[in-house]
């Protein structure tokens, strides 16, 4: 319990506010990355949810597919999250992709190539899991 912010938190907040005001390049780069991903993924015919933000949804269509895609991407060293029913409506299961200004075009290309490979695979057979 405290009545005031610790000095370290106040100092970090002050620096954060300065970065927000002065470092437009991060926002610009994030917007470039979002547009780059959406264009590349759209060319594959992936079902993207409408979003101009860092959070991008790729619809998989069912829990099994979403979990299989997330698992395979994880094995490829790409961290994405499967969002499944009942968190989202049945049939709207998806991958949650989080982009950042720190991602490079090569990072995004690797993700898109991984998604392209997943599109051409047969769904995995679930064994009661």
């Amino acid at each position: 319990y405290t009545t005031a912010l610790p000095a370290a938190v106040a100092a970090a907040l002050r620096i954060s506010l300065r970065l927000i005001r002065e470092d437009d390049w991060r926002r610009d780069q994030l917007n470039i990355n979002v547009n780059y991903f959406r264009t590349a993924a759209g060319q594959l015919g992936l079902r993207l949810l409408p979003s101009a933000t860092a959070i991008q949804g790729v619809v998989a269509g069912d829990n099994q597919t979403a979990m299989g895609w997330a698992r395979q991407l994880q094995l490829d060293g790409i961290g994405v999250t499967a969002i499944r029913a009942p968190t989202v409506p049945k049939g709207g299961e998806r991958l949650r992709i989080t982009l950042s200004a720190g991602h490079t075009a090569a990072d995004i290309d690797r993700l898109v190539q991984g998604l392209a490979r997943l599109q051409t695979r047969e769904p995995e057979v679930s064994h009661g899991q």
Side-chain angles (χ1 to χ4, degrees), residues 1-51:
Y1 180 94
T2 183
T3 58
L5 289 176
V9 172
L13 179 59
R14 187 173 174 199
I15 291 169
S16 295
L17 290 171
R18 181 178 53 81
L19 290 174
I20 290 169
R21 274 192 315 272
E22 297 173 5
D23 286 356
D24 289 340
W25 73 266
R26 286 182 176 89
R27 275 185 296 280
D28 295 341
Q29 186 60 50
L30 178 57
N31 288 330
I32 289 167
N33 288 349
V34 168
N35 290 331
Y36 186 76
F37 170 76
R38 290 190 65 81
T39 298
Q43 289 172 348
L44 290 176
L46 290 168
R47 288 178 48 204
L48 299 176
L49 295 172
S51 173

Side-chain angles (χ1 to χ4, degrees), residues 15-109:
I15 291 169
S16 295
L17 290 171
R18 181 178 53 81
L19 290 174
I20 290 169
R21 274 192 315 272
E22 297 173 5
D23 286 356
D24 289 340
W25 73 266
R26 286 182 176 89
R27 275 185 296 280
D28 295 341
Q29 186 60 50
L30 178 57
N31 288 330
I32 289 167
N33 288 349
V34 168
N35 290 331
Y36 186 76
F37 170 76
R38 290 190 65 81
T39 298
Q43 289 172 348
L44 290 176
L46 290 168
R47 288 178 48 204
L48 299 176
L49 295 172
S51 173
T53 72
I55 307 300
Q56 294 293 309
V58 177
V59 177
D62 60 60
N63 284 342
Q64 182 179 334
T65 302
M67 289 300 293
W69 284 6
R71 189 176 318 110
Q72 186 56 54
L73 288 169
Q74 186 69 39
L75 291 172
D76 292 343
I78 301 168
V80 300
T81 305
I83 308 296
R84 302 174 291 155
T87 304
V88 295
K90 194 162 183 59
E93 294 83 355
R94 63 197 67 167
L95 295 180
R96 181 182 195 263
I97 295 167
T98 305
L99 299 169
S100 78
H103 286 113
T104 64
D107 294 330
I108 296 168
D109 288 342

Side-chain angles (χ1 to χ4, degrees), residues 111-123:
L111 167 62
V112 170
Q113 289 164 5
L115 291 168
R117 285 190 303 275
L118 293 172
Q119 272 192 306
T120 61
R121 289 189 179 162
E122 291 295 318

